[in-house]
Amino acid sequence: MGRVVERVSATPAAVELLAKLTDMHGPLLLHQSGGCCDGSAPMCYGRDEFMIGDRDVFLGLIGTAEVPVPVYIGGLQFEYWSHTHLTIDVVPGRGAGFSLEAPEGFRFLTRSRLFSDEETDALEAAGPVPRGEWQAA
């Protein structure tokens, strides 16, 4: 079996904030913005407050096994970032958007790095990325 390469991960600080926000708001999702409002900031929403479109790409789950948070990116934005691993982080400060962490005095931030050649090969072997809404097992 080939190597599994994750497209998205989160820092411990981001996981901690997601757990707090889940306690406050229920199940969450993150959507990597394509340039509106907070630029290219990941936006955090209640899972039933944001409609995932057929073109949105499911990048993976972050958070914990008990509280998984699906992460999506718009299809066109994915075309630009498909060669990068995204790490969701959190920093002090308030974004200017509608993301749930703003009132807590923090904002989510995406850090990226290029995939290695080995990772790129593994991703290509895995086939196309899933589009549309993630379904919990």
Side-chain angles (χ1 to χ4, degrees):
M1 181 172 235
R3 178 177 174 203
V4 175
V5 176
E6 302 293 331
R7 290 188 175 276
V8 65
S9 62
T11 64
V15 170
E16 184 178 328
L17 182 56
L18 287 167
K20 178 180 178 179
L21 292 171
T22 297
D23 286 344
M24 295 168 65
H25 302 283
L28 305 173
L29 68 82
L30 284 172
H31 191 276
Q32 179 61 51
S33 173
C36 177
C37 303
D38 277 333
S40 59
M43 303 295 281
C44 182
Y45 300 101
R47 236 182 252 172
D48 59 352
E49 295 175 0
F50 187 88
M51 183 178 287
I52 298 300
D54 291 340
R55 299 176 111 193
D56 287 323
V57 174
F58 171 68
L59 294 177
L61 298 171
I62 60 173
T64 64
E66 297 79 28
V67 184
V69 177
V71 180
Y72 300 90
I73 188 170
L76 291 176
Q77 189 74 5
F78 177 75
E79 299 306 319
Y80 293 114
W81 288 17
S82 63
H83 60 286
T84 61
H85 176 272
L86 304 181
T87 301
I88 306 300
D89 199 358
V90 64
V91 294
R94 288 182 49 124
F98 309 102
S99 196
L100 291 175
E101 80 281 4
E104 305 305 310
F106 294 95
R107 64 185 178 90
F108 287 111
L109 175 77
T110 300
R111 301 181 190 281
S112 64
R113 67 164 177 83
L114 293 175
F115 284 122
S116 69
D117 290 342
E118 180 183 78
E119 289 171 317
T120 298
D121 291 345
L123 287 168
E124 288 175 3
V129 293
R131 294 185 184 260
E133 192 165 353
W134 166 76
Q135 299 296 318

